[in-house]
Every structure is written in structure tokens, then in C-alpha cells.
Amino acid sequence: MNSYRVPQLAKKYTDYDMIRQHTEIPSFPDSRARLLQAFVARTDEKMDQELYALATSLVQLAMDTHDRIDTRSGDRGEQEMRSRQLNVLAGDYLSSRFYQLLAHAGKIEMIGKLSGAVSEVNARKMTLYDRMKKLLISADEYLRETVQLRMQLFLSFSDMMRDEEKSLWTSLLKEFSICETLTEEMNRMRDNQQALHSYAFWHIYEHGNDGERKYLREMEIEPHVWGSLVLKYSVRKILLDKLRECTHRIQLLLQDEESLQDLHEIEAILEPYLSYVQTSHAE
């Protein structure tokens, strides 16, 4: 079994005092990176499995960091301005490390593929954000687009996979991207500061009454009101059910594929989500 240490290697680029003091690095794309390494390890490019997983994770972190830039107008305090500036600089810095890593290894073609994927992600984001701004998106559409955005960079490696495993790679990448998205949405749901344009926001906006929809359109969400809306519309249960269904689909994929006998890494990727479902069910 190949050892997985990509998150530890990434800390060389993310653990800077200035970044940690003034901003927060987004969640590491652990499931996707680990899945990528596991599949690349079965190809002719297996010597570069860790390099590809690390470089792609850094690009993902760079884009996710840029997404945290506050674009609201109006005056801000010094701390807010510094945090905004650090989000810009941190994202640019992480993106530059991806180029450096792959260029140093002579992987120019992969730089081109990932750069193209970044352009595709940005184009999809513009379309999504425009629909969100106009309040023209459903909760399920938001979820589908968010999952696709998580997949896009990692799909750059599809041509590299074995022909007999390409379909499986794509299916597992999609399912684990769904798992990542659902757990993150459940975490966002607990914090009214992160509630705007979350799955919970769109679900409540879609199913709420006129007064509730008007309240959400004002974009000033108070903790006690938000908590009552989340409870009223059973958002946690909906997300948890979706996560349970997703883990079940992954288990079926693992059962159906005889070629996966030596891919024990996938079970290790799945285990935290199974634990999450079981723990939540016991609460």
C-alpha cells in the first residue's frame, strides 16, 4: 500500500505565521487528493503519484482561498482589510507553488491541463454566481454545481487512468466530491456567518414562506432565527440522508469491481464518512 502524506507535504506551503494570523486556509481536499494518488499509482505515471496529488491540491486550495475574498462594498476595519489582502496573496502564492512543482519536474503538459481546468472552473463559477445573485438557483442545482466545481481539477487526470478504470475513477471522484460537499455544508449550516448561499440557505429559500424568503433576501441573518429555520426545514436530516446514500453508492461500487481488490486506500477514504453517518445517527 502506498503511504499517503500529501496533507503533511502541503503544510510546507500553508503553514506560514502571516497566513495563519490573518486568514484561514480552506479545508484540504483530502478525499480527492488521496483518491487521485491511489489511481495514479496504478498507471505508468506511478512515480509521480504524490507530486500530482500535491500540486493539484495546492491549486484547489489557491482557488478556494480566493473564493473567501470579501467583495462587499463599504468601509472595513484594519483587520478585515489585512485578512482580505492575505486571502489574495495566499491564493496567488499557493497557485505559484503548483507551477513551480510541476515545472521543476518537467511536467509541462500537466501544467497546461490543470491551467485549462482552472479556466473551466472560473467560467462555471461566474455562471453559478450570477444565478445565485439573481436568486435563480435551487438547492439541488447548487449542490450539483458545487460538486462539479470540486471535481473539475481532478478530472484533468482522466486520460492518464487505465482504460478499464476510467469509468470507476470518474464515478468515485464524483461520489467522494459529494461526500466532501455534504459534510462541509453541514458544518456551514451551524454558523449563521457562513449561511449565506449555502445549501441550507437555498433549501430554505426554495421551500420557505414569503416572510422567510424576504428575510433571507435581506442577507442579515441572526443566529437564533437561522437556527430555527434550519430546524424547521430539517436541513441537517436532508443532508445526512444524502450523505448516507452517497456512502452506500460507494460501497456498491467497491463490491462490484473485482479490480479493486488491491485498492484498500479507497476504504480508508470512505471510513470517515461512514463514521460521520453512524455518529450522527446515534445522536
Side-chain angles (χ1 to χ4, degrees):
M1 182 184 298
N2 298 299
S3 61
Y4 174 69
R5 54 180 192 144
V6 176
Q8 289 72 33
L9 295 174
K11 287 183 178 180
K12 173 182 177 182
Y13 307 98
T14 60
D15 277 7
Y16 281 96
D17 290 342
M18 182 65 74
I19 293 176
R20 294 294 182 186
Q21 183 177 354
H22 296 288
T23 189
E24 182 180 351
I25 295 295
S27 300
F28 192 82
D30 195 63
S31 299
R32 287 166 286 164
R34 195 166 187 174
L35 186 70
L36 176 61
Q37 180 171 326
F39 270 84
V40 173
R42 296 162 63 82
T43 72
D44 294 338
E45 300 273 354
K46 60 185 177 182
M47 297 302 293
D48 297 309
Q49 56 181 284
E50 196 170 74
L51 168 66
Y52 288 149
L54 174 60
T56 309
S57 297
L58 291 178
V59 183
Q60 186 68 63
L61 286 174
M63 291 195 299
D64 293 345
T65 301
H66 280 153
D67 284 345
R68 294 191 171 199
I69 297 171
D70 185 359
T71 58
R72 292 175 301 170
S73 60
D75 295 333
R76 295 179 178 80
E78 180 179 351
Q79 181 63 32
E80 285 184 293
M81 286 299 297
R82 182 163 295 184
S83 177
R84 186 181 189 280
Q85 292 166 354
L86 260 294
N87 275 325
V88 174
L89 294 175
D92 290 348
Y93 169 74
L94 292 171
S95 183
S96 71
R97 295 305 92 183
F98 132 72
Y99 283 105
Q100 182 188 49
L101 283 168
L102 292 181
H104 183 73
K107 304 297 181 181
I108 307 303
E109 181 179 357
M110 188 50 63
I111 291 176
K113 287 185 177 182
L114 286 173
S115 298
V118 170
S119 296
E120 175 69 20
V121 168
N122 288 335
R124 293 186 75 106
K125 282 181 181 177
M126 288 176 64
T127 301
L128 175 62
Y129 293 165
D130 182 60
R131 288 179 59 77
M132 290 166 66
K133 184 177 180 180
K134 296 175 181 177
L135 300 173
L136 295 176
I137 189 170
S138 69
D140 285 342
E141 184 181 359
Y142 164 82
L143 188 60
R144 286 195 302 271
E145 281 301 307
T146 302
V147 168
Q148 187 61 43
L149 290 172
R150 287 178 182 268
M151 292 175 61
Q152 203 67 46
L153 283 179
F154 294 82
L155 285 172
S156 302
F157 295 88
S158 295
D159 290 343
M160 185 184 297
M161 304 307 175
R162 293 178 178 180
D163 288 341
E164 65 271 22
E165 293 183 351
K166 285 182 179 179
S167 177
L168 177 62
W169 151 252
T170 303
S171 296
L172 285 173
L173 177 60
K174 178 180 180 179
E175 297 300 343
F176 279 116
S177 296
I178 293 173
C179 286
E180 279 191 357
T181 302
L182 292 172
T183 52
E184 183 169 305
E185 290 296 327
M186 279 188 271
N187 291 331
R188 290 182 67 189
M189 178 187 68
R190 299 188 186 102
D191 184 354
N192 69 298
Q193 296 299 317
Q194 299 184 47
L196 291 178
H197 304 313
S198 64
Y199 176 91
F201 178 95
W202 295 113
H203 178 79
I204 295 168
Y205 189 82
E206 185 177 354
H207 298 279
N209 59 43
D210 290 343
E212 290 163 344
R213 289 162 65 92
K214 181 177 183 297
Y215 177 78
L216 292 178
R217 284 197 297 269
E218 292 172 356
M219 303 296 180
E220 294 292 338
I221 299 175
E222 299 176 4
H224 69 284
V225 178
W226 176 248
S228 66
L229 288 173
V230 167
L231 186 62
K232 176 181 178 180
Y233 290 97
S234 305
V235 182
R236 176 175 171 77
K237 181 181 183 302
I238 292 169
L239 289 171
L240 197 57
D241 286 345
K242 289 180 181 294
L243 180 59
R244 186 179 295 107
E245 293 165 3
C246 187
T247 58
H248 181 63
R249 289 194 299 269
I250 294 173
Q251 288 175 317
L252 290 178
L253 284 169
L254 299 183
Q255 292 173 7
D256 292 343
E257 289 290 336
E258 295 181 0
S259 63
L260 284 178
Q261 291 178 357
D262 60 333
L263 269 179
H264 305 296
E265 275 290 285
I266 296 178
E267 294 179 354
I269 304 171
L270 178 60
E271 195 280 329
Y273 299 113
L274 290 174
S275 297
Y276 193 106
V277 169
Q278 292 165 359
T279 301
S280 299
H281 180 72
E283 291 177 355

